[in-house]
PDB file of all heavy atoms in Angstrom:
ATOM      1  N   LYS A 100     -45.764 -53.339  25.319  1.00 95.00           N
ATOM      2  CA  LYS A 100     -46.546 -52.334  24.519  1.00 95.00           C
ATOM      3  C   LYS A 100     -46.404 -50.958  25.039  1.00 95.00           C
ATOM      4  O   LYS A 100     -46.464 -49.914  24.334  1.00 95.00           O
ATOM      5  CB  LYS A 100     -48.035 -52.788  24.521  1.00 95.00           C
ATOM      6  CG  LYS A 100     -48.865 -52.075  23.459  1.00 95.00           C
ATOM      7  CD  LYS A 100     -50.290 -52.612  23.636  1.00 95.00           C
ATOM      8  CE  LYS A 100     -51.069 -51.663  22.886  1.00 95.00           C
ATOM      9  NZ  LYS A 100     -52.254 -52.140  22.211  1.00 95.00           N
ATOM     10  N   PHE A 101     -46.452 -50.832  26.416  1.00 95.00           N
ATOM     11  CA  PHE A 101     -46.410 -49.501  27.038  1.00 95.00           C
ATOM     12  C   PHE A 101     -45.035 -49.079  27.518  1.00 95.00           C
ATOM     13  O   PHE A 101     -44.889 -48.026  28.302  1.00 95.00           O
ATOM     14  CB  PHE A 101     -47.492 -49.456  28.142  1.00 95.00           C
ATOM     15  CG  PHE A 101     -48.872 -49.654  27.629  1.00 95.00           C
ATOM     16  CD1 PHE A 101     -49.539 -50.851  27.871  1.00 95.00           C
ATOM     17  CD2 PHE A 101     -49.456 -48.711  26.745  1.00 95.00           C
ATOM     18  CE1 PHE A 101     -50.750 -51.100  27.368  1.00 95.00           C
ATOM     19  CE2 PHE A 101     -50.769 -48.951  26.290  1.00 95.00           C
ATOM     20  CZ  PHE A 101     -51.396 -50.144  26.570  1.00 95.00           C
ATOM     21  N   THR A 102     -43.999 -49.889  27.274  1.00 97.00           N
ATOM     22  CA  THR A 102     -42.692 -49.588  27.712  1.00 97.00           C
ATOM     23  C   THR A 102     -42.159 -48.288  26.913  1.00 97.00           C
ATOM     24  O   THR A 102     -42.242 -48.264  25.732  1.00 97.00           O
ATOM     25  CB  THR A 102     -41.698 -50.734  27.439  1.00 97.00           C
ATOM     26  OG1 THR A 102     -42.237 -51.953  28.038  1.00 97.00           O
ATOM     27  CG2 THR A 102     -40.334 -50.422  27.966  1.00 97.00           C
ATOM     28  N   PRO A 103     -41.832 -47.259  27.695  1.00 97.00           N
ATOM     29  CA  PRO A 103     -41.428 -46.049  26.882  1.00 97.00           C
ATOM     30  C   PRO A 103     -40.154 -46.255  26.203  1.00 97.00           C
ATOM     31  O   PRO A 103     -39.271 -46.911  26.604  1.00 97.00           O
ATOM     32  CB  PRO A 103     -41.214 -45.031  28.075  1.00 97.00           C
ATOM     33  CG  PRO A 103     -41.502 -45.677  29.316  1.00 97.00           C
ATOM     34  CD  PRO A 103     -41.809 -47.063  29.103  1.00 97.00           C
ATOM     35  N   ILE A 104     -40.049 -45.664  24.911  1.00 98.00           N
ATOM     36  CA  ILE A 104     -38.923 -45.900  24.136  1.00 98.00           C
ATOM     37  C   ILE A 104     -38.329 -44.449  23.809  1.00 98.00           C
ATOM     38  O   ILE A 104     -39.056 -43.604  23.333  1.00 98.00           O
ATOM     39  CB  ILE A 104     -39.310 -46.617  22.811  1.00 98.00           C
ATOM     40  CG1 ILE A 104     -39.821 -48.044  23.187  1.00 98.00           C
ATOM     41  CG2 ILE A 104     -38.024 -46.713  21.922  1.00 98.00           C
ATOM     42  CD1 ILE A 104     -40.257 -48.803  21.953  1.00 98.00           C
ATOM     43  N   ILE A 105     -37.041 -44.336  23.960  1.00 97.00           N
ATOM     44  CA  ILE A 105     -36.217 -43.219  23.643  1.00 97.00           C
ATOM     45  C   ILE A 105     -35.480 -43.525  22.334  1.00 97.00           C
ATOM     46  O   ILE A 105     -34.747 -44.554  22.418  1.00 97.00           O
ATOM     47  CB  ILE A 105     -35.400 -42.647  24.653  1.00 97.00           C
ATOM     48  CG1 ILE A 105     -36.212 -42.198  25.911  1.00 97.00           C
ATOM     49  CG2 ILE A 105     -34.491 -41.498  24.168  1.00 97.00           C
ATOM     50  CD1 ILE A 105     -35.424 -41.801  27.085  1.00 97.00           C
ATOM     51  N   ILE A 106     -35.425 -42.659  21.307  1.00 95.00           N
ATOM     52  CA  ILE A 106     -34.603 -42.935  20.200  1.00 95.00           C
ATOM     53  C   ILE A 106     -33.364 -42.044  20.351  1.00 95.00           C
ATOM     54  O   ILE A 106     -33.522 -40.836  20.601  1.00 95.00           O
ATOM     55  CB  ILE A 106     -35.364 -42.637  18.877  1.00 95.00           C
ATOM     56  CG1 ILE A 106     -36.390 -43.715  18.680  1.00 95.00           C
ATOM     57  CG2 ILE A 106     -34.410 -42.582  17.666  1.00 95.00           C
ATOM     58  CD1 ILE A 106     -37.278 -43.627  17.387  1.00 95.00           C
ATOM     59  N   LEU A 107     -32.207 -42.648  20.248  1.00 92.00           N
ATOM     60  CA  LEU A 107     -31.001 -41.985  20.386  1.00 92.00           C
ATOM     61  C   LEU A 107     -30.152 -42.084  19.058  1.00 92.00           C
ATOM     62  O   LEU A 107     -29.881 -43.224  18.696  1.00 92.00           O
ATOM     63  CB  LEU A 107     -30.181 -42.592  21.517  1.00 92.00           C
ATOM     64  CG  LEU A 107     -28.695 -42.087  21.829  1.00 92.00           C
ATOM     65  CD1 LEU A 107     -28.822 -40.624  22.308  1.00 92.00           C
ATOM     66  CD2 LEU A 107     -28.039 -42.981  22.870  1.00 92.00           C
ATOM     67  N   THR A 108     -30.054 -41.034  18.314  1.00 89.00           N
ATOM     68  CA  THR A 108     -29.494 -41.175  16.942  1.00 89.00           C
ATOM     69  C   THR A 108     -28.912 -39.897  16.473  1.00 89.00           C
ATOM     70  O   THR A 108     -28.939 -38.840  17.043  1.00 89.00           O
ATOM     71  CB  THR A 108     -30.770 -41.522  16.027  1.00 89.00           C
ATOM     72  OG1 THR A 108     -30.275 -41.632  14.691  1.00 89.00           O
ATOM     73  CG2 THR A 108     -31.805 -40.334  16.131  1.00 89.00           C
ATOM     74  N   THR A 109     -28.078 -40.091  15.413  1.00 89.00           N
ATOM     75  CA  THR A 109     -27.466 -38.845  14.775  1.00 89.00           C
ATOM     76  C   THR A 109     -28.387 -38.314  13.829  1.00 89.00           C
ATOM     77  O   THR A 109     -28.236 -37.175  13.331  1.00 89.00           O
ATOM     78  CB  THR A 109     -26.240 -39.400  13.905  1.00 89.00           C
ATOM     79  OG1 THR A 109     -26.699 -40.471  13.147  1.00 89.00           O
ATOM     80  CG2 THR A 109     -25.120 -39.810  14.768  1.00 89.00           C
TER      81      THR A 109
END
Side-chain angles (χ1 to χ4, degrees):
K100 195 180 164 152
F101 299 109
T102 305
I104 301 176
I105 295 175
I106 292 182
L107 177 66
T108 179
T109 49

